[in-house]
Amino acid sequence: QKNLSILSPHQIEVGKMLLELGQVHLFEDWPDPGTDDDLKKALLDQVAVLNSSYPGGLASYIKTAKELLADSKAGRNPFDGFTPSVPSGEVLTFGDDSFIQYEETGVKEVQNAAFVLVAGGLGERLGYNGIKVALPMETTTGTCFLEHYIESILSLSEASCKHAEGEVRRDVPLVIMTSDDTHERTLQLLESNNYFGMKPTQVKLLKQEKVACLADNDARLALDPDNKYRIQTKPHGHGDVHALLYSSGLLNEWKDAGLRWVFFFQDTNGLLFKAFPAALGVSASKEYHVNSLAVPRKAKEAIGGITKLTHTDGREMVINVEYNQLDPLLRATGHPDGDVNCETGYSPYPGNINQLILELGPYIDELSKTGGSIKEFINPKYKDSTKTEFKSSTRLECMMQDYPKTLPPSARVGFTVTETWLAYAPVKNNAEDAAKVPKGNPYHSATSGEMAIYRANSMILKEAGVKVDDPVTQVFNGQEVDVWARIVWKPKWAVTFADVKSKVRGDNSVSQKSTLVVKGRNIFIEDLSLDGALIVDSVDDAEVTVGGSVCNNGWTLESIDKDSTALPEEVRIRGFKMNKVEQLEQFYGEPGKFSLKS
Ligand code: UGB
């Protein structure tokens, strides 16, 4: 009461709202007017922002929190009444006729797609100090994730326009969801690199806000332990992307522009664009409203399992069950061993890699009803079994893959499984945690993420007829990995399997110790025998044939100590550095036809 005199009418309204919501504890320690007045006002201003950035405001946030906290305390299972079973979906095999067909269909559709990258996460598990999209995806060329994503989108869109002769060329849109943790640095990365070739108008950043933390089962808002005039906040999860897209107005803009698909993807998967065109082809052919990309999943791997859930009341849905919930759900429904591999050596539930293709029209229809809010969950860590106190504050969270939970049974929800080597190699775990991953399970580290790029490119070239030597096994940062030839190409050289096949001719071979970097658009590999390092680049209107025998001391991988502070963090987290001993490097800077044949 005493402090009312220092507050503006709006701040007084906010204060009243807090009292009505049972948040009187926020003001209990307030000193008399004259002390900390600016801080008191700042607290109410912060609450006003928290209130306006959450659909339905803080009243709705606290109401949901109380319900979910009561469920959690009572041990109520969110899957009560549901029985899990293995769903059926489209399973693709890289390079076979059906894959090629779907890829072709998908490429045609790319010009009707919008791309949405969720990049608000700081990557606590990875422990990297920078933003994850700025990390080099591999250290042969040093290309960062964001650069590769943008170049892939541009090349795919160009390939798409070629298929649709006569139609107007569209600048496909890219949205990046950021947060306070990543926004400024993402913008700076884009600006200092000329948006990696995209028009700045093609790219929109949407920043998600954090949500208020909760101190107890009554959903009392938690104050920052170091500042009693600030509510503690934490990220709300990648599910925010739907509400942000809806409120931005972009979805209707896209619809008016004739777009048909929205593709959601994550921040550190260097393989994701290799399977995307075929998966988009599946969406278009099967007319899926929702298509989740998946890979075979190892039991207990930290990726969700795609599961068919059937309720006793007859409801059915195909949905991601998050990795920490799959094991208890299975145990509670007659599978005493929980989340285990079956005879194939994999979990029978396909692994969700959180790349979702949504059909825009039905997506807008659904969001017009829900405003983009996604079913939330809460994960309080209790001090003891009485479940009355928390170890630290908690908050509501939501996941983008839970979008289908509110869809009617008529919605066409499917999924597409491809080989892991082709589609999924995220960089999520720090070196220490990766080294502790049980043998046979993926590391999901910077080391394995980089090796996966070389493996995928080697496997693709093999499928295109190139002889690529088998890998050797090496240990970096305590992780045993297969080291293939370091083969890297720019998306403008090839962004589909069809592109690769059209640029590789004759009898080619690449030894395991080799490095091959192809950067130019019209470079043809023909009768090449490579045992060393070869880097070829050209301007777009040069046509270069690369062949003959190239043999030199090449580039080697040198093991390094992850704690050696003399090296930059992005090198240390891999456990090796690239020694560029000797290479043949050619750049063709003029239009015309050229041949590199030694
Ligand atoms: N992200 C945000 O943009 N905002 C946030 O508030 C949080 C994250 P994580 P997670 O495929 O590898 C997901 O932390 O959530 C972005 C799926 O839930 O890397 O543990 C963040 O920047 C899981 O089912 O992953 O697990 C990043 O781009 C499985 O599919 C993305 O969201 C797993 O990913 C994912 O955040 C996977």
Side-chain angles (χ1 to χ4, degrees), residues 242 246 251 289-290 358-375 402-411:
H242 301 295
Y246 183 67
L251 298 177
H289 295 172
V290 178
L358 303 190
E359 189 174 353
L360 181 60
Y363 182 47
I364 294 179
D365 293 345
E366 177 65 9
L367 295 198
S368 311
K369 289 183 232 149
T370 62
S373 63
I374 295 298
K375 278 209 175 306
D402 278 346
Y403 162 74
K405 281 192 172 165
T406 53
L407 290 176
S410 57

Side-chain angles (χ1 to χ4, degrees), residues 316-341:
E316 268 185 11
M317 58 178 156
V318 173
I319 193 86
N320 173 69
V321 176
E322 202 56 344
Y323 42 92
N324 55 341
Q325 294 179 323
L326 188 59
D327 186 79
L329 170 65
L330 289 168
R331 285 176 197 276
T333 50
H335 307 269
D337 297 332
D339 180 15
V340 285
N341 292 326

Side-chain angles (χ1 to χ4, degrees), residues 117-123 125 132 177-179 182 208 235-240 265-268 302-305 320-323 351-355 398-401 424 426 428 444:
L117 165 61
V118 289
L122 196 51
R125 280 191 273 158
K132 289 194 284 172
M177 181 171 81
T178 56
S179 67
T182 61
Q208 62 175 150
H236 189 222
H238 33 73
D240 279 349
F265 58 104
Q266 302 194 154
D267 51 17
T268 58
I303 64 178
N320 173 69
V321 176
E322 202 56 344
Y323 42 92
N352 162 50
I353 58 172
N354 247 12
Q355 283 160 228
C398 62
M399 299 188 291
M400 71 171 169
Q401 67 270 35
Y424 187 58
K428 297 198 181 211
H444 295 174

Side-chain angles (χ1 to χ4, degrees), residues 489-504:
W489 58 75
K490 282 273 181 196
K492 75 172 167 182
W493 183 70
V495 76
T496 59
F497 183 46
D499 289 344
V500 174
K501 282 199 298 182
S502 71
K503 289 182 173 166
V504 172

Side-chain angles (χ1 to χ4, degrees), residues 171-225:
D171 290 328
V172 295
L174 167 66
V175 164
I176 306 177
M177 181 171 81
T178 56
S179 67
D180 277 327
D181 295 328
T182 61
H183 187 84
E184 285 310 318
R185 285 178 288 176
T186 307
L187 191 59
Q188 203 189 356
L189 180 67
L190 285 165
E191 285 178 349
S192 55
N193 289 285
N194 292 322
Y195 286 73
F196 298 112
M198 234 178 208
K199 294 182 188 154
T201 47
Q202 263 174 287
V203 187
K204 291 252 174 346
L205 267 54
L206 298 178
K207 184 159 77 75
Q208 62 175 150
E209 295 297 336
K210 291 185 180 171
V211 288
C213 290
L214 305 159
D216 56 27
N217 282 328
D218 294 326
R220 294 196 316 157
L221 300 181
L223 286 168
D224 188 324

